[in-house]
Amino acid sequence: MYARVTGTGSCLPGKPVSNDDLAARGVDTSDEWIVSRTGIRSRFLATPGTTSSELGLVAAQHALEMAGVAASDIDLIIVATSTPDFIFPSTACLIQNKLGSRKGAAAFDVQAVCSGFVYALGIAEKFIRSGSHSKALVIGAEVFSRILDWNDRGTCVLFGDGAGAVVLEAADNPGILASALHADGSQNGILNVPGQVCGGQVTGDPFLRMDGQAVFKFAVRVLSEVAAEVCQEAGVETNTVDWLIPHQANIRILDATAKKLGVDRSKVIVTVDRHGNTSAASVPLALDEAVRDGRIRRGQKVLLEGVGGGFTWGATLLEF
Ligand code: ACO
């Protein structure tokens, strides 16, 4: 029994917000600084009332449509998000309700920040390969703009909002060839939102904080290590992979990772220039874009990679 991606979908809220738009809104920055340091030119920012479940719902509907699967046939929903609608119930339960999918299907959220989608995909694959479930929706959905300190120009320019989804189904042929998930909790201090709700009050610091240079070095190292790990497990040379989709944090991280792996830059799917860093949504958003514009075709090998707060990281090698 294997698990195969049969549909992809995505959702971006509103219109692109350019670097100059951010400067016009009062952020002390410039297009030149942001583009040269990160490759980001614009991002999408949800309106105040828009939630992760709303974005995730639309992405899921597009993925179901491509797969030709009815919402009522889905028996597993996993949502990767660090910006859930509520503390509980989970965003997955909210999306299940909005989709009208099968009551009684398993639905839960995964918290692995920017690695969340790769984590959720790895978990869903194990459910499917065990035989317990056969049709899963795996969603990455974020409204990261809610946890940004708009007075911290070193972080607020980097992120955006959005959602991506895949339908993963039981199949006789792969599918997912190999996956790996890792974490190192000793690195929790270099990227975090160190706040919580307690006694009806927000305590601690409810905004994203980051040591950018430490994150950069860590991300490039683990992205290349985990890519090599899954390729070795599947018996595939890294330079023979058709497409590489790393977490879209920063163009310099993407370029450095591709170079370390010996993967030609033309095989790297890039959306960070137009989406910014959408955390758990970045990998499925990039996957959906490249599937829909015809770059990724059936039978090709695609390597997905995540890295994020925790620190967490992981990769999935699949045959599309
Ligand atoms: N606009 C203009 N100037 C800025 C901005 C901005 N948006 N942000 C910072 N600066 C200034 C700083 O104030 C500083 O000025 P100073 O020298 O006068 O003090 C100067 O630019 C350099 O600041 P640094 O923070 O040292 O900038 P650095 O070169 O490290 O670049 C960056 C910062 C882009 C975040 C870099 O560290 C990086 O790419 N890190 C990777 C982290 C990343 O991409 N994180 C995404 C989330 S993590 C994840 O998804 C896994």
Side-chain angles (χ1 to χ4, degrees):
M1 181 87 76
Y2 294 100
R4 194 174 189 87
V5 172
T6 56
T8 65
S10 56
C11 176
L12 291 160
K15 291 190 182 136
V17 177
S18 70
N19 296 336
D20 287 336
D21 292 336
L22 291 186
R25 290 179 189 190
V27 180
D28 181 14
T29 192
S30 66
D31 181 60
E32 191 279 329
W33 191 96
I34 301 172
V35 172
S36 64
R37 296 295 212 291
T38 71
I40 298 168
R41 296 181 182 276
S42 59
R43 75 285 293 144
F44 293 80
L45 300 175
T47 53
T50 304
T51 63
S52 288
S53 73
E54 288 169 11
L55 302 180
L57 171 70
V58 176
Q61 286 168 328
H62 290 152
L64 287 167
E65 196 180 351
M66 186 189 288
V69 170
S72 55
D73 288 336
I74 291 292
D75 54 11
L76 173 65
I77 301 175
I78 309 180
V79 176
T81 185
S82 298
T83 49
D85 295 22
F86 303 122
I87 292 174
F88 71 79
S90 69
T91 308
C93 286
L94 300 176
I95 291 177
Q96 185 202 35
N97 182 48
K98 288 176 180 172
L99 272 173
S101 68
R102 188 195 296 180
K103 293 185 181 66
F108 58 91
D109 288 1
V110 165
Q111 163 59 291
V113 203
C114 304
S115 312
F117 180 79
V118 171
Y119 261 67
L121 194 62
I123 295 165
E125 188 221 0
K126 284 163 182 57
F127 270 68
I128 287 178
R129 292 192 75 168
S130 77
S132 66
H133 293 74
S134 62
K135 291 187 196 303
L137 257 175
V138 184
I139 303 165
E142 302 280 16
V143 283
F144 240 60
S145 55
R146 302 285 149 74
I147 53 171
L148 299 177
D149 177 354
W150 289 97
N151 294 313
D152 177 6
R153 64 181 181 170
T155 56
C156 71
V157 302
L158 304 176
F159 296 90
D161 302 330
V166 302
V167 174
L168 193 70
E169 294 188 67
D172 293 333
N173 303 313
I176 292 181
L177 302 169
S179 66
L181 305 175
H182 297 291
D184 178 356
S186 72
Q187 300 297 321
N188 71 78
I190 61 174
L191 178 62
N192 55 23
V193 180
Q196 59 170 299
V197 175
C198 179
Q201 305 286 325
V202 173
T203 62
D205 178 356
F207 294 116
L208 183 144
R209 302 298 175 200
M210 178 179 75
D211 175 344
Q213 287 169 15
V215 166
F216 191 100
K217 285 185 207 138
F218 196 94
V220 173
R221 178 172 65 79
V222 297
L223 286 174
S224 41
E225 281 175 7
V226 78
E229 180 185 345
V230 290
C231 285
Q232 191 177 14
E233 189 187 328
V236 169
E237 295 289 331
T238 47
N239 59 7
T240 65
V241 165
D242 294 296
W243 298 105
L244 178 64
I245 309 186
H247 167 52
Q248 307 281 317
N250 181 314
I251 196 70
R252 289 157 57 221
I253 294 179
L254 272 70
D255 285 344
T257 303
K259 196 170 164 197
K260 262 192 140 179
L261 288 172
V263 172
D264 194 274
R265 180 64 169 69
S266 62
K267 295 179 173 182
V268 183
I269 307 288
V270 177
T271 55
V272 69
D273 53 335
R274 288 156 294 122
H275 298 174
N277 179 347
T278 58
S279 189
S282 90
V283 168
L285 269 165
L287 174 66
D288 183 53
E289 179 176 288
V291 167
R292 286 180 190 269
D293 69 19
R295 275 177 291 171
I296 294 179
R297 297 188 303 275
R298 287 283 164 208
Q300 290 188 324
K301 288 189 179 58
V302 184
L303 179 52
L304 312 177
E305 294 190 272
V307 58
F311 242 73
T312 56
W313 65 101
T316 303
L317 179 65
L318 58 88
E319 193 173 294
F320 187 69

